[in-house]
Amino acid sequence: MRTMESPCSQPPLPVECLSRYHRSKMSNLVFFLILLMPTMSSLPAAHCDDNNNDVGFQLTLTHVDAGTSYTKPQRLHRAIARSKARAAALQSLAVVASPVVDPITAARVLVTASTGEYVVGLAIGTPPLYYTAIMDTGSDLIWTQCAPCLLCVDQPTPYFDAKRSATYRAVPCRSPRCGQLTYPACFQRVCVYQYYYGDTASTAGVLANETFTFGAGNSTKVMAPNISFGCGSINAGDLANSSGMVGFGRGPLSLVSQLGPSRFSYCLTSYLSPTPSRLYFGAFANLNSTNTSSSSPVQSTPFVVNPALPSMYFLSLKGISLGNKRLPIDPVAFAINDDGTGGVIIDSGTSITWLQQDAYEAVRRGLVSAIPLPASNDTDIGLDTCFPWPPPPNVTVTVPDFVFHFDGGANMTLPPENYMLIASTTGYLCLAMAPSGAGTIIGNYQQQNLHVLYDVANSLLSFVTAPCDII
């Protein structure tokens, strides 16, 4: 594997490794730096200490389509379309992260920004500028669009203006934080970055430190200094009516890693519920008091490290059951391959679950056997394991629970409403899952009314059934 050089001693990026599109992007970044560097170099360098305080707060998670005029079928159709793009990007990530490819390609984080599912409110700078950002457990970088903006996308709040903040500091080239970028670059001793989220989304700019404020407007308001983030002035893609992204991955530049108490949890309300979901951080991320809807115990399973994708939340899935029937699936279907592909990821930014092809076919056969209705597909919404609904008066249908069996004995039991959906106005009951040619991604539709805890410090995922609309 190629050893990463010191960010201040790296050679120029090899032009022959770039496509025409990315050569253009690099030219834009250099042009942007030439314009911006006099301003940035005049700012004193901040010390880049980690934040190890016992931070705790709670925030509201709002679905990207909440408050819109979309009908329920339209919202489902949009979510599935986003999920397809998201899955394609995540499944190709291990390929480009392979050490056999060039370093420019390896630096691309292929998570399409337009597929974000939940946005969270926060504030940046002194005085604080409030904005919303997409929460993403599939990436690390925190970033927002900054003025002057050479190439930016629409957002609901003003661009962040570094000159108006008393606490903004550009990260020096030799800072350890600069070296934590996947492929850091430097210009006149200031750390700059490029982050690619697929073919149509990217951000480029200066890596900087700022004070972030969380939980503004309630009793858990927390201010955290020296948070490293991307101040982007060349950006592309769809931000889903937000103003940036907040990475919750396992990498060193994610919010959860930078704030020190490396644990967070969320409780996602029913998919079409008007009630917002909740995000808990640090001391507030605790499952002890959430088991109020059933007698189900808290379940826990260890995270698995995929060396090709160390920031992603991989799990060891052992099998799947429908009701009390264990499906005949070879465990190799859920294994991480030698090249880093495959495996099982739990992700907040993917709507429906994507099952490895063999596993999906086993689930489909199991449902066809359990549901006494003719199976078909619903081309309107893009799902292909569907049944006419409601059933005829003389037919009794009992949809079994769906169970993920994880390493450590943890069983994630999904009631029918967590994995089946009414797909269209014409009336189809469809499996809210799709086949994948690579790995498995457990999406947020399957995580409804579960309080899910990511204990990153102890490499453990825990979950319990919970009434997410009232906790």
Side-chain angles (χ1 to χ4, degrees):
M1 179 178 293
R2 175 171 176 157
T3 302
M4 183 174 292
E5 300 170 352
S6 168
C8 289
S9 61
Q10 292 177 24
L13 302 181
V15 176
E16 62 271 19
C17 294
L18 300 174
S19 66
R20 178 180 302 175
Y21 170 78
H22 292 112
R23 286 200 300 271
S24 174
K25 281 290 185 183
M26 179 61 72
S27 298
N28 287 338
L29 178 59
V30 173
F31 175 65
F32 149 72
L33 289 172
I34 292 173
L35 290 178
L36 202 58
M37 285 310 300
T39 299
M40 292 302 165
S41 61
S42 65
L43 294 171
H47 210 39
C48 208
D49 294 329
D50 287 336
N51 296 272
N52 293 315
N53 299 323
D54 187 16
V55 179
F57 54 84
Q58 64 181 37
L59 301 173
T60 297
L61 285 175
T62 305
H63 193 270
V64 294
D65 285 336
T68 64
S69 59
Y70 295 115
T71 64
K72 289 184 178 181
Q74 287 173 331
R75 288 180 63 176
L76 291 170
H77 188 276
R78 284 169 53 81
I80 292 170
R82 288 191 300 266
S83 184
K84 289 180 178 179
R86 172 81 166 190
L90 289 178
Q91 290 163 2
S92 64
L93 182 56
V95 176
V96 301
S98 170
V100 302
V101 301
D102 67 84
I104 298 299
T105 304
R108 297 173 193 161
V109 181
L110 298 178
V111 184
T112 306
S114 61
T115 61
E117 289 288 296
Y118 291 92
V119 296
V120 63
L122 63 159
I124 181 173
T126 307
L129 175 68
Y130 293 90
Y131 72 102
T132 58
I134 296 171
M135 174 197 174
D136 187 12
T137 55
S139 64
D140 295 328
L141 187 68
I142 309 162
W143 66 272
T144 189
Q145 301 188 108
C146 290
C149 209
L150 297 183
L151 178 63
C152 283
V153 299
D154 291 338
Q155 66 177 50
T157 59
Y159 300 135
F160 176 67
D161 190 344
K163 296 189 297 296
R164 296 186 177 183
S165 175
T167 47
Y168 178 92
R169 300 292 186 270
V171 169
C173 177
R174 294 188 180 276
S175 167
R177 284 284 172 86
C178 189
Q180 289 169 348
L181 289 167
T182 308
Y183 193 73
C186 297
F187 193 86
Q188 294 186 4
R189 297 180 297 174
V190 169
C191 186
V192 296
Y193 74 93
Q194 289 188 99
Y195 226 63
Y196 290 90
Y197 293 80
D199 292 338
T200 60
S202 63
T203 177
V206 171
L207 188 68
N209 289 340
E210 254 297 7
T211 295
F212 279 70
T213 303
F214 307 95
N218 60 50
S219 59
T220 62
K221 181 177 178 180
V222 170
M223 297 180 67
N226 291 330
I227 299 296
S228 294
F229 78 107
C231 191
S233 287
I234 299 177
N235 311 293
D238 181 0
L239 288 176
N241 201 35
S242 73
S243 301
M245 297 189 72
V246 178
F248 273 71
R250 301 177 72 180
L253 287 176
S254 74
L255 181 65
V256 65
S257 296
Q258 290 195 58
L259 284 183
S262 301
R263 53 189 293 129
F264 68 94
S265 67
Y266 52 70
C267 202
L268 304 180
T269 57
S270 297
Y271 202 67
L272 298 175
S273 170
T275 304
S277 302
R278 293 288 179 179
L279 170 69
Y280 305 90
F281 198 91
F284 282 69
N286 192 313
L287 302 187
N288 292 340
S289 61
T290 60
N291 189 14
T292 59
S293 65
S294 72
S295 58
S296 302
V298 172
Q299 307 271 330
S300 297
T301 185
F303 289 122
V304 176
V305 176
N306 181 347
L309 297 170
S311 292
M312 305 294 292
Y313 293 102
F314 280 85
L315 301 172
S316 179
L317 182 60
K318 299 301 184 181
I320 295 173
S321 292
L322 285 176
N324 295 323
K325 183 179 180 180
R326 187 75 170 248
L327 299 180
I329 304 172
D330 190 332
V332 74
F334 306 120
I336 299 173
N337 301 319
D338 292 340
D339 62 358
T341 59
V344 178
I345 299 168
I346 184 168
D347 181 42
S348 68
T350 304
S351 54
I352 64 172
T353 287
W354 293 77
L355 287 176
Q356 189 271 350
Q357 183 72 46
D358 293 341
Y360 179 85
E361 292 299 333
V363 170
R364 178 182 171 87
R365 289 192 298 269
L367 284 175
V368 170
S369 176
I371 297 177
L373 297 171
S376 61
N377 59 22
D378 187 334
T379 56
D380 289 340
I381 202 167
L383 298 174
D384 59 8
T385 299
C386 300
F387 305 89
W389 201 259
N394 61 337
V395 177
T396 299
V397 175
T398 300
V399 181
D401 288 344
F402 185 107
V403 186
F404 286 116
H405 301 287
F406 293 106
D407 188 21
N411 297 316
M412 182 180 285
T413 301
L414 308 179
E417 59 267 25
N418 274 40
Y419 78 97
M420 303 292 289
L421 57 82
I422 303 297
S424 70
T425 55
T426 57
Y428 279 103
L429 180 70
C430 292
L431 172 65
M433 300 183 184
S436 164
T440 293
I441 305 171
I442 300 174
N444 59 58
Y445 192 92
Q446 279 61 51
Q447 300 174 55
Q448 300 171 93
N449 287 314
L450 288 176
H451 194 172
V452 184
L453 170 65
Y454 293 68
D455 187 347
V456 183
N458 295 304
S459 193
L460 199 68
L461 181 84
S462 299
F463 50 88
V464 65
T465 303
C468 293
D469 58 339
I470 62 174
I471 68 167

